[in-house]
Amino acid sequence: MDAKEILKTADEEGVRFLRLQFTDILGVLKNVEIPRSQFEKALNNEIMFDGSSIQGFTRIEESDMLLYPDLETFQVNPWSNPDGSKVARLICDVYMPDGTPFEGCPRTILKRQVERADKLGYKMVCGPEAEFFLFTRDEYGDPMAATHDVGGYFDLTPVDRGEECRRDIVIVLEAMGFEVEAAHHEVAPGQHEIDFKYAPAVECADNVATFKFVVKKVAQDHGLHATFMPKPIFGVNGSGMHVHQSLLSADGKNSFYDPDGDWQLSKLALDYIGGILKHAAAFVAVTNPLVNSYKRLVPGYEAPVNVAWSEKNRSPLVRVPAKRGMSTRCEVRVPDPACNPYLAFAVMLACGLDGIDNELTAPKPVDKNIFTMSQREKSRLKISQLPANLSEALDYLEKDKVVQAALGDHVYSHYLESKRQEWADYISQVHEWETEHYLTTY
């Protein structure tokens, strides 16, 4: 779609406002909203904003930045304003005033890794499975950490009271061009999952950002609160965002598939998986970005804590689903939905490409349930553990040049500073668990 087509569609659809969307380095969706009179300027890359107010962008003395909309992302929201007018959106890349790409733009960082893969003759495609919780609100409309149901995995009404909300989310997603493949209740009460079709990496990251916005908006319309917090409730499963990924060749064939290879996987696939395994301890600082993320990554709740891969079980960090041919892929099970999808996809792709560049062929798969293994057996199989908390993950990040290079100097330094401060704030707090266990004992 070009600029003329966008303007024509906007007028035909009664679009009164246009949201120019982008994300900060933490993955929080931002936007500059403009009225119809400014649409032409926006499509000509002339809308400027104050980057110094955005997490991880620029200093106050160099704050002016430009939004370059990706015209292919134009979408009219499938709901109307009270006056009947509509709002549309364009997803943007962030540029400097001199017309050069801003090195701290997460979307640009992912594009850089996609271009690197393209030069090698490959295109990354991925399909995420983002889980979320639906919670109730109190009489004042404030969210509570109380679920709306007592359903379980794949449960159906009347147990699953979130079905109506989930169905409306699917309707809105489809109206916005998503091909939704499945929607169901997850393991924990109040927990849900909606899966949509795989796409090229940048488009997929755009879809994740849109998906999270739609889920929160529709939940609010239903009087509920949707959260992508990884572990909002103690004692039940947390929310993950498993990312299925593979590389396609220039002629569109799946480069991970080799009918004559071990496990019908190509050497390229095994090298890619090897890169993922080698750098996992560092890239989880990006794919699992919160203090809370590591309360999901504990034994007993189906979340991976072991650096290994398997064909047949879900306990390792990487799983290769059974389907082959064009469906051949690896499923990286560690990310959670709180991550910035652009940065998460960028670092995983960079690590996979490092595995290919340096032939970091994955070891044999571990098809036994790792959760039931002794530490001695894990050591014998050279199965390591993921970092136990955000601070440990940041320690690994500081030692991993591949992940640092994928982020770039600007985002790496700002991200590290922000997350170190987050950890310092957390450990300085006195938590309820401490008071319960220590107040009367000592």
Side-chain angles (χ1 to χ4, degrees):
M1 186 175 284
D2 60 24
K4 288 183 179 179
E5 291 173 321
I6 288 175
L7 292 173
K8 181 181 178 182
T9 301
D11 290 339
E12 289 175 349
E13 295 279 338
V15 175
R16 180 72 179 82
F17 292 94
L18 179 62
R19 286 176 170 167
L20 303 175
Q21 296 181 359
F22 59 100
T23 63
D24 66 14
I25 66 170
L26 302 182
V28 177
L29 196 62
K30 305 290 184 180
N31 83 104
V32 174
E33 188 170 85
I34 59 173
R36 174 62 184 85
S37 62
Q38 302 300 304
F39 286 10
E40 287 84 355
K41 288 177 63 178
L43 297 175
N44 200 35
N45 307 326
E46 297 176 11
I47 300 298
M48 192 166 280
F49 72 102
D50 177 10
S52 67
S53 301
I54 305 299
Q55 176 73 44
F57 273 25
T58 58
R59 297 169 297 181
I60 196 166
E61 64 268 24
E62 50 184 27
S63 60
D64 290 339
M65 310 190 84
L66 289 166
L67 293 173
Y68 277 42
D70 182 341
L71 303 190
E72 294 300 319
T73 66
F74 177 76
Q75 182 69 54
V76 179
N77 290 340
W79 54 80
S80 300
N81 294 321
D83 64 357
S85 65
K86 290 189 175 181
V87 176
R89 74 96 201 269
L90 280 165
I91 297 175
C92 301
D93 297 315
V94 182
Y95 275 65
M96 301 301 291
D98 63 2
T100 58
F102 171 48
E103 63 178 356
C105 174
R107 197 169 189 263
T108 298
I109 287 170
L110 176 55
K111 283 185 172 182
R112 188 168 64 221
Q113 292 303 315
V114 168
E115 290 169 3
R116 178 184 165 200
D118 185 63
K119 290 178 181 177
L120 296 173
Y122 304 112
K123 178 175 74 173
M124 181 195 196
V125 292
C126 43
E129 300 174 351
E131 299 167 342
F132 58 94
F133 279 84
L134 291 175
F135 289 140
T136 56
R137 297 175 181 268
D138 64 20
E139 64 270 28
Y140 303 106
D142 295 326
M144 301 185 296
T147 63
H148 65 286
D149 65 53
V150 291
Y153 205 42
F154 292 116
D155 274 353
L156 183 65
T157 305
V159 176
D160 178 8
R161 290 167 44 205
E163 181 183 5
E164 183 178 345
C165 177
R166 195 173 65 227
R167 185 180 295 130
D168 284 349
I169 292 170
V170 171
I171 290 171
V172 172
L173 290 173
E174 289 185 330
M176 297 186 76
F178 282 67
E179 183 177 336
V180 176
E181 295 184 328
H184 61 85
H185 200 292
E186 259 295 338
V187 175
Q191 189 182 34
H192 302 264
E193 177 179 310
I194 297 174
D195 303 331
F196 44 90
K197 188 176 181 179
Y198 68 87
V202 176
E203 180 184 345
C204 185
D206 290 341
N207 288 343
V208 171
T210 299
F211 170 78
K212 291 166 75 170
F213 170 75
V214 168
V215 168
K216 285 181 171 290
K217 196 272 180 193
V218 176
Q220 185 173 338
D221 291 345
H222 280 261
L224 299 170
H225 172 70
T227 181
F228 293 93
M229 179 180 178
K231 184 80 168 184
I233 305 175
F234 169 72
V236 300
N237 286 25
S239 291
M241 189 179 78
H242 306 159
V243 181
H244 297 254
Q245 48 200 281
S246 56
L247 297 180
L248 304 185
S249 62
D251 59 0
K253 294 181 180 179
N254 191 323
S255 298
F256 279 8
Y257 175 59
D258 180 355
D260 299 320
D262 292 337
W263 314 286
Q264 292 190 308
L265 297 175
S266 66
K267 184 178 187 307
L268 181 132
L270 293 172
D271 288 348
Y272 188 97
I273 293 171
I276 293 290
L277 297 179
K278 178 179 179 180
H279 298 285
F283 75 61
V284 292
V286 178
T287 60
N288 303 76
L290 308 182
V291 168
N292 181 256
S293 296
Y294 298 84
K295 298 186 177 181
R296 166 184 167 251
L297 299 178
V298 294
Y301 296 99
E302 298 187 10
V305 295
N306 305 290
V307 181
W309 77 280
S310 174
E311 282 189 289
K312 299 177 180 178
N313 75 76
R314 290 169 166 78
S315 59
L317 185 142
V318 176
R319 184 177 76 96
V320 175
K323 294 185 73 175
R324 291 294 184 267
M326 278 302 294
S327 297
T328 308
R329 63 198 187 273
C330 68
E331 176 193 9
V332 183
R333 297 176 57 79
V334 71
D336 67 51
C339 70
N340 181 324
Y342 301 99
L343 298 183
F345 294 172
V347 296
M348 285 189 286
L349 177 55
C351 294
L353 293 179
D354 182 63
I356 293 170
D357 288 343
N358 293 289
E359 299 188 37
L360 304 175
T361 307
K364 290 183 179 180
V366 180
D367 292 329
K368 183 178 178 181
N369 187 347
I370 303 176
F371 293 143
T372 62
M373 285 185 185
S374 66
Q375 188 57 50
R376 183 176 180 179
E377 189 172 5
K378 290 180 187 179
S379 298
R380 182 178 61 81
L381 294 172
K382 298 181 180 179
I383 299 173
S384 61
Q385 298 280 109
L386 287 172
N389 56 54
L390 179 61
S391 181
E392 285 188 17
L394 295 173
D395 291 342
Y396 280 103
L397 176 60
E398 287 189 284
K399 300 172 185 176
D400 195 306
K401 300 302 180 184
V402 169
V403 181
Q404 291 175 26
L407 295 173
D409 291 340
H410 181 97
V411 167
Y412 167 66
S413 60
H414 283 80
Y415 187 86
L416 186 66
E417 179 183 9
S418 173
K419 290 301 169 179
R420 286 294 187 196
Q421 186 59 53
E422 182 178 336
W423 178 255
D425 292 344
Y426 171 71
I427 61 172
S428 67
Q429 298 293 319
V430 178
H431 301 277
E432 184 178 350
W433 184 94
E434 296 172 89
T435 305
E436 291 178 354
H437 282 75
Y438 303 144
L439 187 65
T440 59
T441 305
Y442 296 99

